[in-house]
Amino acid sequence: MAYVPLTPLGAEPDFSDTAAAVQATARRFALEVLRPVGRELDRMAPGDVIAPDSPLWGVYRQFAALGFGVDDLLALEPFERARTMAILFEELGWGDAGLAISIGAGLLPAMLSTLLGNGFCRSLAPDDKLGCWMITEPDHGSDALDPARMIFHPQGEYGRPNCVVTLRGDELVITGQKSAWVSNGTIGQVGILYAACDSGSGPDTRHGAVVIVPMDAPGITRGKPLDKMGQRALNQGEIYFDNVRLPKAHLLAGPDQYQQATYLIHTLANGIMSTVFTGCARSAYDLALGYAHERKAGGVPIIRHQSVAHRLFHMFRKVEASCALSRRVLHYNFQAPAMALQAAMAAKVTATQTAFEVASEAVQMHGGNGMARDYPVEKILRDARASLIEDGCNEILAIKGGYHLIDPDLL
């Protein structure tokens, strides 16, 4: 039988020296840091995960030492930036999806400030401060990702927003609440806030405000860290604003730019999600493939059985397809004149659905061992399940993504 070994990223057609170096560095970090720490944090209470003596803090320090800061990534030519970020976040997701999302969310205040050309806001979000992205609200969920109201029902009523930024002369006043699903919510040091804006005629969810917020500002309090089924290493929690006052210079995007700023961060976040959960899917496949060579049934390794070989092939096929799409979309969006949100949504939905399906197959292939916490596949399945809701639930993304396919010139 002919066996053709592939790269650690599968059928990677352009595994250059640079790509190989990025992959090797990120894989080492994923294997030696993210996997063991992620498994340890998964078994801890949410409060203990963020305690001063938690191994979580070492993850952030060691990632910073790798040299993949925001300025380093954005200084690359678009093609290299896309390839580097795709490989980096795929490997982080291969190590631990929850920690990968925490690292990605931590970069968003700095990345958006840089991409929108605001040097002052970028100075508020240096690389050594952990970021958080505050957009989701208790009463509105995925509605917060739809300021253009593309999926708004004709009989619908949005209701009062949970969080409002009021513009008063040279200052901003923030009141209200962001939901428990804010990534890095109870530990972030600087946040990028997306909220309704009141510029004199009442709160407007369609023309909101984007604000870079120092999370130690007076009037900010945090809820308890969320206790959840999967991605337990990813800290999430509520944030409350009680007349938080900031200089107007903290405004990254005002009402006129709000929809474009939402489009930008949503496109970037969905793109990162697609790479992270491609890596998550690959980790489940790798573990299943290894187990199929070791575990025996009927006197032979189970990979000799047709049903197992059949299942493994379709797991492999799905991972390769997810990798190709996520890589393709990142390359397109970093090089095209305008980013395509529908492409990022397609990549996110494909990768997260793939991660869940492949992880479920990996659990099945492990049999009873797949249910045991001594084996990592049950954790990967729980982590992947959360991704179908994260950054916009897949059903909402499919509806909105479909509307982004409408060509007005054809109507």
Side-chain angles (χ1 to χ4, degrees):
M1 295 176 61
Y3 171 69
V4 178
L6 301 176
T7 77
L9 298 176
E12 180 64 39
D14 186 24
F15 205 54
S16 64
D17 290 344
T18 301
V22 171
Q23 186 276 326
T25 298
R27 175 63 65 96
R28 189 180 311 111
F29 175 69
L31 184 62
E32 297 177 1
V33 179
L34 294 187
R35 277 199 174 177
V37 173
R39 291 187 69 181
E40 183 179 354
L41 296 175
D42 182 66
R43 303 185 183 199
M44 294 167 60
D48 295 334
V49 168
I50 61 170
D53 60 348
S54 170
L56 174 68
W57 308 111
V59 170
Y60 300 133
R61 289 193 296 270
Q62 291 178 75
F63 176 75
L66 297 181
F68 294 111
V70 169
D71 291 337
D72 299 309
L73 292 171
L74 295 183
L76 297 172
E77 291 298 318
F79 178 85
E80 286 298 328
R81 182 193 312 160
R83 181 167 63 173
T84 298
M85 289 185 66
I87 294 173
L88 171 63
F89 280 100
E90 185 177 323
E91 288 299 318
L92 297 183
W94 184 89
D96 186 274
L99 290 173
I101 295 299
S102 180
I103 290 170
L107 300 175
L108 287 176
M111 185 167 289
L112 267 292
S113 296
T114 303
L115 289 174
L116 293 175
N118 191 313
F120 174 74
C121 285
R122 177 66 174 93
S123 72
L124 298 173
D127 286 350
D128 62 351
K129 285 191 175 182
L130 182 67
C132 62
W133 176 24
M134 302 173 284
I135 189 168
T136 181
E137 297 190 354
D139 296 333
H140 305 296
S142 295
D143 285 344
L145 291 170
D146 186 39
R149 299 197 175 184
M150 295 175 68
I151 61 171
F152 199 69
H153 194 279
Q155 297 175 327
E157 183 177 342
Y158 189 86
R160 182 172 177 82
N162 296 114
C163 186
V164 177
V165 177
T166 302
L167 304 184
R168 293 180 182 168
D170 292 331
E171 73 172 2
L172 313 169
V173 181
I174 310 170
T175 57
Q177 174 187 357
K178 286 297 180 179
S179 80
W181 300 104
V182 175
S183 294
N184 301 334
T186 75
I187 59 173
Q189 298 166 291
V190 60
I192 182 166
L193 171 69
Y194 281 68
C197 183
D198 185 350
S199 54
S201 56
D204 188 342
T205 58
R206 286 171 290 186
H207 300 91
V210 182
V211 184
I212 298 297
V213 182
M215 299 306 291
D216 58 356
I220 295 178
T221 55
R222 327 274 186 113
K224 294 181 180 179
L226 191 61
D227 194 359
K228 52 197 173 76
M229 177 179 74
Q231 296 184 38
R232 294 175 58 83
L234 169 62
N235 167 263
Q236 293 178 301
E238 296 164 315
I239 301 175
Y240 302 91
F241 301 90
D242 183 8
N243 290 310
V244 176
R245 298 176 181 273
L246 297 172
K248 196 172 182 179
H250 288 240
L251 185 68
L252 182 60
D256 292 340
Q257 300 85 35
Y258 184 71
Q259 291 192 23
Q260 293 91 336
T262 304
Y263 185 100
L264 175 59
I265 198 169
H266 196 186
T267 304
L268 289 171
N270 272 194
I272 290 174
M273 284 281 291
S274 74
T275 59
V276 167
F277 285 96
T278 293
C280 179
R282 191 180 299 281
S283 69
Y285 165 73
D286 287 346
L287 289 164
L289 181 64
Y291 187 80
H293 282 81
E294 299 167 3
R295 180 71 175 180
K296 290 186 177 181
V300 296
I302 61 173
I303 199 170
R304 293 290 191 184
H305 294 285
Q306 287 185 346
S307 64
V308 174
H310 180 271
R311 175 177 282 124
L312 280 168
F313 173 78
H314 284 293
M315 293 166 71
F316 167 77
R317 172 184 62 79
K318 290 178 181 181
V319 173
E320 289 298 302
S322 179
C323 180
L325 180 59
S326 64
R327 201 72 55 86
R328 174 184 171 94
V329 167
L330 252 67
H331 279 288
Y332 180 86
N333 278 337
F334 278 126
Q335 297 185 88
M339 290 187 176
L341 177 56
Q342 71 270 31
M345 288 173 165
K348 186 268 183 183
V349 171
T350 298
T352 54
Q353 189 66 41
T354 295
F356 181 64
E357 292 173 0
V358 171
S360 181
E361 293 282 26
V363 169
Q364 186 71 18
M365 193 173 303
H366 278 70
N369 288 334
M371 306 297 292
R373 299 189 74 183
D374 290 341
Y375 290 79
V377 289
E378 63 86 25
K379 174 186 176 298
I380 294 173
L381 177 62
R382 288 187 284 110
D383 290 347
R385 182 61 185 85
S387 71
L388 304 182
I389 301 170
E390 212 167 6
D391 273 5
C393 69
N394 285 1
E395 293 80 4
I396 292 295
L397 296 186
I399 296 171
K400 186 169 180 178
Y403 288 146
H404 273 289
L405 299 178
I406 295 174
D407 183 346
D409 292 336
L410 298 179
L411 295 177

